[in-house]
Amino acid sequence: MDIKSRTKEELQAEFKDWGQPAYRVQQLLEWLYVHRVPDWASMSNLPKALLDQLKAHYDLRTLELVRKQGSRDTTQKFLWRLADQSMIESVLIPANPTLYGEPSDRRTLCLSTQVGCAYGCRFCASGLEGWKRNLEPNEMIEQVLAVERWNHAESPATEPSEPRNTVPVQRLISNLVIMGMGEPLANYDNLLKALRILNAPWGGAIGARKITVSTSGLAPQIRQLADEPLQFRLAISLHGATDATRNKIMPINRKYPLKELIAACEYYQQQRGRMITFEYILIAGINDGLDQVGPLTLLARRLNAKVNLIPYNDVEGLPWKRPAEEVQERFLKALETGGASATLRREKGHDIEAACGQLRLKTERELAMR
Ligand code: SAH
Ligand code: SF4
């Protein structure tokens, strides 16, 4: 097991068994989550005997950067290699790219939760080559730490110059969206453990309300998530407001049709008014017709959900296309006229905002051609 898949409580119990004083756990956690050291050798205030014991019991793994796309001020995609050579992606999104206006402090990281995806939505690059495995908690947590480590290395001037073991380094990432490769709720236990660690004050210290979990619609796990003490935000990849449309593009809808999905969302929403967003990719000729607007408006109003319209990112090798801007605007207008709360992502350039899964696919295809 990797040390970063352990919670503070688990480590406390273990250190107690080992006859180690409690403050050693605190010291270890600071090396991992404040200084984000990549190896045991950097943990200078831990005694050698304890380090040897830790090394004998645990791995301490980092992610290897294979490729990075995008520039400092815009969305940046990271392609990582895991210990078993699998590849995953993370995407760092500045809330307000300087390219389009004033820079903002908020930085969101989009995390992957699985290698590949088993759900096979027809429009998605992540599912194209099937599912390989679940990510372990440390592999999700490490996406945050590795991006922060990378940022630190790229811009040492903006970091405090005091000794590393006394000054908490300012965190780069303030928000998380679990919208990378994979279906997060199909890797439920590992996901929840990773999010608990990323949320804990001794770990990532990211507020639960700044964490959004996106799902293609696993109804039973949505109910399970509603019962968790931590109040994450939930995004539903809806992409169709009738079973006929959803069935065409999302095989999961045959297992959990809209009636069941919406009932689970209602349960989630009722648990102390938790926030839900409907993600709705607009795909030309598939789900961008005005026939979807009425049912979508009703669903959004019923759940008090916000609709997030996202123009489709074309994927190499797939026939789907992004609709013309007039069609996107018309769809938005019609939703608003019906009384739904909706936004349309108006980005320029498919390559900058390309969805997760595409960089991995491209790299794997290039490697296969060598
Ligand atoms: N499996 C989860 C989370 C990962 S997908 C889910 O489906 O919600 C994250 C989001 O990206 C989903 O809303 C998904 O539908 C969307 N997406 C996938 N491929 C896309 C593409 N080519 N263009 C735009 N959005 C895409
Ligand atoms: Fe999997 Fe989500 Fe892509 Fe569907 S949209 S194939 S659930 S990653």
Side-chain angles (χ1 to χ4, degrees):
M1 187 189 255
D2 193 281
I3 189 80
K4 271 173 263 152
S5 288
R6 282 283 196 224
T7 62
K8 183 180 179 176
E9 294 69 30
E10 288 169 341
L11 289 169
Q12 280 169 333
E14 190 151 44
F15 274 42
K16 202 167 164 208
D17 287 346
W18 291 355
Q20 290 288 341
Y23 70 87
R24 293 288 184 209
V25 173
Q26 199 53 40
Q27 288 177 324
L28 170 64
L29 293 173
E30 280 177 19
W31 287 118
L32 294 175
Y33 297 106
V34 179
H35 309 300
R36 313 167 192 104
V37 297
D39 50 38
W40 302 108
S42 309
M43 302 184 183
S44 53
N45 60 359
L46 296 186
K48 185 170 179 306
L50 173 57
L51 280 175
D52 287 343
Q53 203 165 8
L54 283 167
K55 277 187 237 176
H57 280 80
Y58 291 107
D59 288 325
L60 172 52
R61 289 189 164 141
T62 53
L63 300 174
E64 182 198 338
L65 184 64
V66 180
R67 201 164 173 181
K68 193 176 83 67
Q69 233 178 30
S71 61
R72 263 201 105 65
D73 298 335
T74 59
T75 296
Q76 295 168 69
K77 294 183 98 185
F78 298 81
L79 183 70
W80 310 108
R81 189 176 288 120
L82 304 171
D84 70 347
Q85 306 299 310
S86 300
M87 289 194 277
I88 54 163
E89 286 177 33
S90 319
V91 183
L92 180 61
I93 312 153
N96 209 340
T98 45
L99 197 63
Y100 304 124
E102 287 298 303
S104 126
D105 286 352
R106 200 174 92 195
R107 289 199 188 81
T108 305
L109 190 72
C110 174
L111 293 193
S112 291
T113 54
Q114 299 183 310
V115 182
C117 183
Y119 288 83
C121 303
R122 306 262 184 265
F123 48 80
C124 176
S126 293
L128 271 183
E129 265 145 48
W131 177 84
K132 194 165 163 202
R133 69 172 174 89
N134 283 332
L135 294 189
E136 296 295 324
N138 66 292
E139 292 171 318
M140 295 181 234
I141 295 163
E142 193 39 39
Q143 293 172 58
V144 176
L145 301 180
V147 168
E148 293 190 326
R149 222 179 271 129
W150 163 86
N151 181 69
H152 179 73
E154 292 270 294
S155 56
T158 64
E159 298 289 339
S161 54
E162 285 84 353
R164 293 202 307 176
N165 56 352
T166 55
V167 177
V169 180
Q170 213 203 325
R171 302 227 76 112
L172 173 74
I173 291 155
S174 58
N175 294 61
L176 294 178
V177 291
I178 317 303
M179 295 189 180
M181 194 188 302
E183 169 48 55
L185 297 187
N187 186 13
Y188 192 92
D189 293 341
N190 288 349
L191 172 78
L192 262 284
K193 191 162 193 193
L195 293 185
R196 264 184 231 120
I197 293 172
L198 285 168
N199 169 254
W202 50 262
I206 301 173
R209 285 167 178 279
K210 297 188 166 171
I211 300 176
T212 303
V213 177
S214 175
T215 178
S216 58
L218 275 63
Q221 286 89 337
I222 291 172
R223 290 176 184 273
Q224 201 179 340
L225 195 65
D227 292 333
E228 296 286 345
L230 285 176
Q231 293 206 26
F232 304 113
R233 287 174 190 267
L234 181 65
I236 305 293
S237 293
L238 201 64
H239 312 331
T242 57
D243 282 324
T245 296
R246 220 168 173 261
N247 281 342
K248 272 196 279 187
I249 47 179
M250 301 182 75
I252 179 92
N253 197 65
R254 294 186 190 272
K255 190 160 183 199
Y256 304 115
L258 276 172
K259 190 161 177 278
E260 235 172 286
L261 171 59
I262 296 303
C265 290
E266 239 162 8
Y267 180 71
Y268 190 93
Q269 209 273 333
Q270 281 159 8
Q271 300 296 93
R272 291 171 279 165
R274 294 178 176 206
M275 281 284 303
I276 293 183
T277 305
F278 286 147
E279 305 283 317
Y280 197 101
I281 320 178
L282 289 166
I283 310 175
I286 300 293
N287 64 358
D288 61 344
L290 292 180
D291 61 305
Q292 293 297 303
V293 171
L296 181 54
T297 307
L298 285 179
L299 290 179
R301 285 174 48 179
R302 188 165 136 201
L303 282 162
N304 200 15
K306 205 187 91 184
V307 181
N308 198 2
L309 299 175
I310 306 155
Y312 181 64
N313 278 309
D314 299 2
V315 175
E316 224 180 279
L318 293 181
W320 320 99
K321 291 272 170 270
R322 167 183 292 204
E325 269 169 41
E326 306 80 73
V327 177
Q328 301 172 23
E329 298 288 347
R330 190 183 62 190
F331 199 94
L332 172 69
K333 269 256 152 52
L335 277 178
E336 287 173 337
T337 307
S341 150
T343 54
L344 168 65
R345 219 192 259 173
R346 292 181 182 89
E347 278 136 4
K348 311 267 182 265
H350 294 209
D351 35 69
I352 298 177
E353 288 297 325
C356 240
Q358 295 185 28
L359 187 59
R360 165 180 172 259
L361 188 69
K362 193 169 141 203
T363 306
E364 282 186 341
R365 282 181 179 166
E366 282 169 13
L367 290 173
M369 281 179 21
R370 274 193 198 156

